[in-house]
Amino acid sequence: MTDKFRAIRVSKAESGQTAELVELSLGDLMEGDVTVAVEYSTVNYKDGLALTGKAPVVRTWPLIPGIDFAGTVEASTHANFKPGDHVVLNGYGVGESHNGGYAQKARVKGDWLVKRPGGISSAHAMAIGTAGYTAMLCVLALEHGGVTPDKGDILVTGAAGGVGSVAIALLAKLGYRVIASTGRASEADYLKGLGAADIIDRNELSGPAKALGKERWAGVVDAVGSNTLANAISMTRYGGTVAACGLAQGMDLPGSVAPFILRGVTLAGIDSVQAPMAKRVEAWSRLAKDLDMKKLDAMTTRIALKDVLDIGPKILAGQVRGRVVVDVNA
Ligand code: NDP
């Protein structure tokens, strides 16, 4: 095991937050019972916030950001993991209050790790990343709500982003008819390629919502929040389910209780960070089964570790399409 490794590190300076590529030693890592040779990480919206300091995501300084990674166990005193095991990590405060995935090494609690399913390579695991795993949690919530393909269409908001792209590919493969809401009309072919049947302009949903709108979909995967979520709920069919996971438009929810009390609509909150281990294992095993890896490749671009320094503002500006994998050894 070599002691030295490269990492992206954010620090707090008097002039504001800085991010740089640094060489560190294993001794610089935080406590944990499993040391992992990281192979890939990824870029999620929250990573953009951590890299730029646009929201107080980073809780301890200096810190290696990166809320997820895939790699191979190098050393472990945890009963469930041994050297050579292939693992994936999402959330649990990694990349926020514990050193994260933008590094060639990570030391974490074994209780936070999921064994990577056999059908998913390390690079594919991070092409999925936290965004894709969250998309799967949303699909599980729709299924839990009894939303089967025969019940009606599914609306996916923030469609050309990470959560949205994976959600479309998953839902299409499962037989749902997907309506993709996007602000990027130029991505229509991309979204259709992933399996969207219809595309709508996100402006249709971004203004103030009526208490009840025309019933248009049986389920929703919402990565946007605010007026968009309120509109999505107001147009959900009787008995439908709305899975809310994001806030790209805003954290507010300016809507009415009418859809809940008159149409029996369910609002399902989706949290990937503290999701219980059984749910994580279920989501990852379903991703291995229900995600078309060719579509995953079509939505993924790959960058080297140093390129992470430039990408934070781009994801926050909604300029990143699909998923970005970070090869930490490149
Ligand atoms: P991306 O930036 O990849 O996708 C977000 C998409 O939202 C954009 O691509 C864009 O899609 C759309 N969007 C951006 N700004 C606006 C706006 N002002 N109004 C309406 N739509 C907008 O991010 P991710 O897919 O990684 O994450 C999506 C959301 O989900 C984020 O808010 C993130 O914080 C949240 N999230 C939550 C998790 C949880 O545990 N609950 C886990 C992972 C993510 P388009 O161009 O198609 O319009």
Side-chain angles (χ1 to χ4, degrees):
M1 206 195 289
T2 56
D3 186 50
K4 300 276 183 209
F5 64 92
R6 289 184 305 136
I8 300 289
R9 194 170 61 176
V10 292
S11 310
K12 217 177 201 171
E14 260 177 36
S15 52
Q17 183 176 321
T18 58
E20 56 186 342
L21 181 65
V22 290
E23 187 176 74
L24 299 176
S25 306
L26 287 176
D28 294 318
L29 291 174
M30 293 169 180
E31 275 188 28
D33 46 11
V34 181
T35 304
V36 178
V38 178
E39 285 141 15
Y40 297 97
S41 185
T42 168
V43 184
N44 301 279
Y45 191 87
K46 194 186 262 178
D47 296 316
L49 295 173
L51 286 162
T52 58
K54 277 270 162 62
V57 165
V58 176
R59 310 259 170 215
T60 175
W61 304 89
L63 185 88
I64 303 169
I67 63 167
D68 45 19
F69 63 76
T72 302
V73 172
E74 278 195 341
S76 168
T77 54
H78 189 282
N80 294 352
F81 297 97
K82 59 179 187 324
D85 283 348
H86 301 303
V87 292
V88 176
L89 185 140
N90 302 102
Y92 280 122
V94 167
E96 300 182 62
S97 52
H98 192 98
N99 282 320
Y102 294 153
Q104 292 172 300
K105 307 277 178 186
R107 192 185 295 123
V108 295
K109 282 191 182 173
D111 289 350
W112 299 342
L113 293 167
V114 170
K115 289 208 174 127
R116 169 161 61 78
I120 300 182
S121 69
S122 189
H124 274 156
M126 282 301 102
I128 294 166
T130 297
Y133 143 68
T134 301
M136 189 74 237
L137 292 177
C138 291
V139 172
L140 291 172
L142 297 185
E143 290 179 348
H144 184 74
V147 181
T148 43
D150 57 301
K151 296 274 168 56
D153 294 351
I154 307 295
L155 171 72
V156 174
T157 65
V163 172
S165 294
V166 179
I168 293 168
L170 281 169
L171 289 162
K173 186 161 177 210
L174 290 166
Y176 292 91
R177 187 174 183 282
V178 178
I179 302 175
S181 165
T182 184
R184 290 182 264 182
S186 55
E187 298 297 355
D189 286 345
Y190 164 77
L191 295 169
K192 285 189 175 149
L194 296 180
D198 253 353
I199 303 202
I200 62 172
D201 190 316
R202 77 181 190 204
N203 285 334
E204 262 191 57
L205 303 174
S206 60
K210 287 185 190 161
L212 282 179
K214 183 169 175 272
E215 293 174 75
R216 289 174 73 179
W217 31 75
V220 179
V221 173
D222 178 62
V224 171
S226 192
N227 281 337
T228 301
L229 176 57
N231 273 300
I233 294 168
S234 78
M235 295 179 214
T236 298
R237 282 168 70 162
Y238 193 95
T241 294
V242 177
C245 75
L247 44 60
Q249 185 182 11
M251 255 210 169
D252 55 334
L253 178 50
S256 159
V257 296
F260 307 120
I261 63 176
L262 299 177
R263 288 186 184 157
V265 168
T266 297
L267 180 58
I270 305 299
D271 169 55
S272 67
V273 180
Q274 300 295 341
M277 188 48 74
K279 192 56 117 187
R280 291 167 187 263
V281 171
E282 181 186 11
W284 276 102
S285 79
R286 283 288 304 273
L287 283 158
K289 194 157 73 75
D290 295 327
L291 184 60
D292 180 336
M293 295 298 156
K294 285 206 186 76
K295 285 186 179 168
L296 183 62
D297 289 338
M299 70 178 85
T300 304
T301 47
R302 199 183 273 209
I303 62 172
L305 186 59
K306 66 172 175 21
D307 301 328
V308 164
L309 293 171
D310 302 322
I311 203 149
K314 288 187 188 147
I315 193 158
L316 297 187
Q319 288 165 0
V320 168
R321 184 178 90 173
R323 302 282 305 129
V324 178
V325 168
V326 181
D327 181 347
V328 300
N329 298 302

